[in-house]
Amino acid sequence: MEDFKKAILEHAEGSKKTKFYFKDLEKAVKKTYPDAKSRMIKKAATELVNEGTLIYYSTGSSTMYGLKGRGITEDH
Amino acid sequence: MAFEPKNEQKELKYEELRIYTDEELNNYTEEELKNFKFKHDVPDLDDLEKGPWPSFVSDAKQEALHRHKLADDRLMTAKDSVDDLMGALQLSFDDGETHWKHGGIVGVFGYGGGVIGRYSDVPEKFPGVTHFHTMRVNQTSSKFYDTDFLRSLADLWEYRGSGILNMHGSTGDIVFLGTTTDQLEPIFYDLTHELGVDLGGSGSNLRTPSCCVGKARCEYACIDTQDLCYEMTQFYQDELHRPMFPYKFKFKFDGCPNGCVASIARSDMSFIGTWRDDIRIDQEAVKAYIAGESAPNAGAHGGRDWGKFDIQKEVIDLCPTNCMCYEDGELKIDNSECTRCMHCINVMPKALRPGKDTGVTILCGAKAPILEGAQMATMIVPFMKAEAPYDNIKELIEKVWDWWMEEGKNRERLGELIQRFSLPRFLDIMELPPAPQMVKEPRSNPYIFWKEEDVKGGWNRDINDYRSRHKR
């Protein structure tokens, strides 16, 4: 789990984008851990949200993840 | 069968939860309402009140007046939010474009759905709707509430929101329309701790499952839709609140093929109650319909005289598969040809009932138009038993999800993915054999193909050998 969290953060911090679809995070983890299961990656992303490192960004119809403090961080 | 709650039930008492007094709730007169005007000029909205149907504008006026007359400290959000909402709508009519910005990071802690951020792009004109976030509240199965719950909910929303809500949104949730960011957590706390309800799904989550009235009120129900809906809602809480799907995903549960929640058109995975044995016939009751002793359609459409009931014209000739006849004073049905259209059962409910060996038909892929066009669901499993704890159904659901999460592009619905891959491949991946029931009508659904391994000799043949037996 900690490895997945690290991979997610490395991808998020190294990217120019500020918001990520879950699939982006999934791909980033699977690059290092090809056998990683989607549900476990989701659990890792959820933990990062609960810890306050990642945030959910919702448009209402689809949801993305963002790094707290980057891009839109407060109400627009 | 009496209702037996699975979990301990907390009885809600409005008297304990109420925020407003009776005087506050009834704080204006009919005369005041008649003379009430929103603080903005809204000529197009005034027009909407002139039509034959009740208008939301009339409701909004009542709510706006009610809020105006409440004391300042009795509302946690802007007093004139309803006025500003109507003003913003008029401006959109004038400009022919929206003045809302959607989305953002608003939400309650740990939840990736249930709150949809909404902001006005003209806040200086309409400060009451600068923040006007939507919250989705997970409705109860079949939307059965008591007044203690509804009044408590309305008080909460009046106090911490705009007071305007939808009963219900198209997915089924109770939709709270318009609050500010600072009110989200207190509302969430009260909903979950006091009222015993949760937020619903939004974004790339499992959306709030919904079902018809099922066995609680309907004799046609072939499955316990309420139980199935509740079980799926509870079992898939993680999917409902924490996004991991490529896009939205909806479940809906219809108790019979009448489809009162229209799951076939409105859900990515549609569950429709059905039976696989024979329609139960009470021949004496059939005769009573023919003799005019029982009202057809249970008395519906009884507002005018349609003449004597004619079983041939009104039932048998309307059977889409011509599988019925009335001979020698007896109604006969060739059940192997029945497509479960429900027409005969609907017309003669005292005489005909669904069979006893019941379960669900499962269909996949319905969606509204964004890419391509609107799509109805396609039948995937003709029949599956649906009994608690529904492990067989969960197994199929998770197989579909695993494939969709693996192969689906961002913002691609299940129906679009099936279309992109083709139905035969979807069936292969689901390990489901093509079935005759999947064919909508002969030769119109050419998605069942032979595979090389299914054909004797494969794709290769000796043409000379063939020609020795078949002249050109």
Side-chain angles (χ1 to χ4, degrees):
Chain A
M1 183 70 78
E2 289 305 314
D3 294 339
F4 293 175
K5 281 159 70 176
K6 207 173 142 213
I8 290 171
L9 279 181
E10 271 172 15
H11 173 75
E13 282 162 357
S15 171
K16 279 183 192 164
K17 289 185 189 167
T18 58
K19 302 286 177 285
F20 311 92
Y21 282 108
F22 177 72
K23 269 192 120 45
D24 301 335
L25 305 181
E26 203 181 4
K27 265 186 213 159
V29 174
K30 284 190 174 172
K31 211 188 277 174
T32 324
Y33 306 99
D35 297 332
K37 296 264 176 264
S38 299
R39 273 168 209 282
M40 293 310 290
I41 302 170
K42 200 267 293 261
K43 281 190 197 314
T46 303
E47 272 192 18
L48 286 166
V49 170
N50 291 342
E51 288 165 11
T53 318
L54 288 186
I55 49 161
Y56 290 123
Y57 179 90
S58 167
T59 66
S61 67
S62 55
T63 313
M64 302 176 87
Y65 291 79
L67 257 184
K68 196 176 174 122
R70 270 182 53 189
I72 296 168
T73 54
E74 289 170 21
D75 295 347
H76 19 293
Chain B
M1 192 171 67
F3 171 65
E4 287 171 20
K6 285 186 173 172
N7 304 317
E8 200 182 328
Q9 300 285 297
K10 190 173 95 177
E11 197 180 350
L12 293 180
K13 292 273 180 219
Y14 178 61
E15 286 311 317
E16 292 166 12
L17 294 167
R18 69 184 300 167
I19 295 170
Y20 298 106
T21 62
D22 284 342
E23 289 69 36
E24 285 174 316
L25 291 177
N26 300 291
N27 65 355
Y28 60 85
T29 63
E30 285 300 312
E31 195 57 27
E32 285 174 306
L33 181 62
K34 222 167 107 185
N35 298 322
F36 178 77
K37 294 255 180 265
F38 292 119
K39 76 175 194 188
H40 306 283
D41 274 342
V42 289
D44 292 325
L45 301 190
D46 291 336
D47 251 10
L48 292 177
E49 283 192 283
K50 292 176 189 159
W53 304 103
S55 168
F56 69 94
V57 181
S58 308
D59 289 346
K61 275 185 181 163
Q62 291 182 33
E63 179 58 17
L65 175 58
H66 174 55
R67 288 175 78 86
H68 278 286
K69 297 201 72 178
L70 283 172
D72 287 348
D73 62 350
R74 301 296 281 149
L75 293 168
M76 299 298 285
T77 58
K79 204 168 187 179
D80 47 8
S81 55
V82 181
D83 292 78
D84 282 349
L85 179 68
M86 295 296 122
L89 182 55
Q90 178 64 49
L91 183 66
S92 291
F93 271 127
D94 295 340
D95 295 350
E97 59 187 10
T98 185
H99 285 285
W100 294 114
K101 296 183 291 176
H102 257 119
I105 55 168
V106 293
V108 296
F109 186 70
Y111 274 36
V115 178
I116 298 110
R118 190 194 303 263
Y119 305 85
S120 171
D121 67 3
V122 277
E124 65 292 344
K125 275 190 185 161
F126 307 112
V129 294
T130 304
H131 296 192
F132 207 68
H133 310 316
T134 296
M135 297 184 85
R136 293 188 185 163
V137 181
N138 194 327
Q139 81 285 7
T140 56
S141 279
S142 308
K143 309 182 180 80
F144 287 171
Y145 312 108
D146 65 10
T147 51
D148 282 281
F149 173 77
L150 289 174
R151 298 182 79 188
S152 306
L153 196 77
D155 268 25
L156 169 66
W157 187 237
E158 186 78 80
Y159 186 57
R160 297 197 178 277
S162 70
I164 300 178
L165 64 161
N166 282 349
M167 299 291 280
H168 299 77
S170 25
T171 299
D173 307 89
I174 299 167
V175 185
F176 281 173
L177 291 164
T179 192
T180 50
T181 307
D182 59 319
Q183 293 302 316
L184 296 173
E185 288 289 354
I187 293 168
F188 179 57
Y189 184 90
D190 285 351
L191 286 174
T192 49
H193 290 74
E194 302 292 348
L195 296 177
V197 283
D198 199 357
L199 292 185
S202 69
S204 309
N205 290 5
L206 170 64
R207 301 301 182 85
T208 317
S210 79
C211 64
C212 67
V213 293
K215 290 190 173 178
R217 298 278 297 167
C218 182
E219 63 196 82
Y220 297 154
C222 297
I223 52 166
D224 189 343
T225 54
Q226 295 180 310
D227 186 56
L228 183 54
C229 183
Y230 181 78
E231 173 63 22
M232 293 305 165
T233 307
Q234 297 294 354
F235 193 77
Y236 292 119
Q237 278 288 295
D238 203 39
E239 284 76 5
L240 220 159
H241 298 306
R242 282 165 277 277
M244 69 181 294
F245 293 148
Y247 203 18
K248 61 179 91 164
F249 193 93
K250 299 177 184 178
F251 282 148
K252 292 193 194 300
F253 306 94
D254 276 310
C256 79
N258 277 333
C260 290
V261 289
S263 66
I264 192 169
R266 306 198 303 145
S267 55
D268 297 86
M269 211 162 175
S270 154
F271 299 84
I272 302 177
T274 189
W275 63 95
R276 61 179 167 185
D277 51 352
D278 295 347
I279 293 176
R280 287 176 281 168
I281 309 176
D282 178 343
Q283 297 291 354
E284 290 309 309
V286 174
K287 284 179 189 147
Y289 277 105
I290 294 169
E293 292 158 15
S294 298
N297 296 295
H301 321 297
R304 56 171 278 200
D305 183 10
W306 296 90
K308 194 172 181 305
F309 175 65
D310 182 341
I311 192 168
Q312 187 67 37
K313 196 171 137 202
E314 294 178 45
V315 179
I316 291 165
D317 289 351
L318 296 179
C319 173
T321 56
N322 296 318
C323 72
M324 312 178 82
C325 65
Y326 189 71
E327 280 175 357
D328 308 324
E330 211 171 274
L331 180 69
K332 291 175 186 159
I333 301 176
D334 178 357
N335 281 278
S336 63
E337 294 293 327
C338 172
T339 55
R340 313 294 190 265
C341 83
M342 292 293 288
H343 178 71
C344 58
I345 297 175
N346 290 335
V347 176
M348 303 193 293
K350 284 185 186 170
L352 300 175
R353 285 193 289 167
K356 283 181 168 173
D357 186 7
T358 56
V360 280
T361 294
I362 302 174
L363 305 92
C364 286
K367 66 178 197 73
I370 291 184
L371 294 179
E372 308 260 330
Q375 202 168 290
M376 293 279 268
T378 303
M379 214 278 292
I380 300 299
V381 178
F383 185 90
M384 190 181 263
K385 290 302 272 185
E387 284 158 6
Y390 310 107
D391 288 340
N392 53 343
I393 293 177
K394 289 172 189 165
E395 195 183 320
L396 181 73
I397 289 169
E398 286 167 29
K399 213 167 176 181
V400 170
W401 280 349
D402 285 346
W403 175 66
W404 179 49
M405 286 189 296
E406 181 74 30
E407 301 289 351
K409 295 178 183 172
N410 289 326
R411 298 173 67 84
E412 185 173 45
R413 295 285 289 272
L414 176 66
E416 290 154 0
L417 177 63
I418 295 173
Q419 215 170 26
R420 182 158 65 85
F421 265 62
S422 84
L423 196 63
R425 274 186 74 190
F426 177 61
L427 294 178
D428 260 359
I429 292 158
M430 292 299 117
E431 297 174 287
L432 292 168
Q437 290 92 335
M438 292 169 186
V439 179
K440 193 174 154 209
E441 56 208 21
R443 297 183 188 279
S444 78
N445 296 54
Y447 53 74
I448 298 171
F449 298 110
W450 292 104
K451 290 194 199 91
E452 190 167 7
E453 58 267 29
D454 297 332
V455 180
K456 196 178 165 192
W459 297 145
N460 300 314
R461 64 179 177 179
D462 181 344
I463 189 67
N464 295 326
D465 174 52
Y466 179 80
R467 285 287 164 232
S468 71
R469 288 178 286 114
H470 302 274
K471 286 212 170 99
R472 190 180 277 276

